[in-house]
Amino acid sequence: MSESVSPKPLNVAERQSTIEEFTYFCHEEKERRMNSGETFDEALYEEAKELALRKLQILEDEGWV
């Protein structure tokens, strides 16, 4: 007989760190902007993302997030 597997409800996700959530958001937002048909400065976007990630890392290291 196979083992019983208790599936998680679909609306329950594993908790990600703030940095992981922000990184995922940035990836999705970048894709959305690239596909919007409007002018998009990818280098500037990446620079801003990296700045925010550095600041989030500092906050995480200090125990704030």
Side-chain angles (χ1 to χ4, degrees):
M1 185 173 193
S2 65
E3 292 183 24
S4 175
V5 177
S6 178
K8 293 181 183 178
L10 294 176
N11 62 348
V12 176
E14 294 294 323
R15 173 71 173 120
Q16 294 182 325
S17 73
T18 303
I19 291 174
E20 290 171 329
E21 289 177 8
F22 181 72
T23 301
Y24 176 77
F25 168 80
C26 287
H27 172 74
E28 294 297 312
E29 181 64 12
K30 180 179 173 182
E31 290 294 318
R32 185 189 71 77
R33 289 178 183 236
M34 289 175 67
N35 295 322
S36 71
E38 296 180 11
T39 303
F40 174 64
D41 188 337
E42 186 175 352
L44 183 60
Y45 183 87
E46 288 296 325
E47 187 178 332
K49 179 185 83 172
E50 292 303 318
L51 173 64
L53 284 171
R54 284 194 304 271
K55 290 181 180 270
L56 280 172
Q57 186 63 58
I58 290 168
L59 290 173
E60 186 177 272
D61 292 346
E62 292 177 352
W64 291 99
V65 293

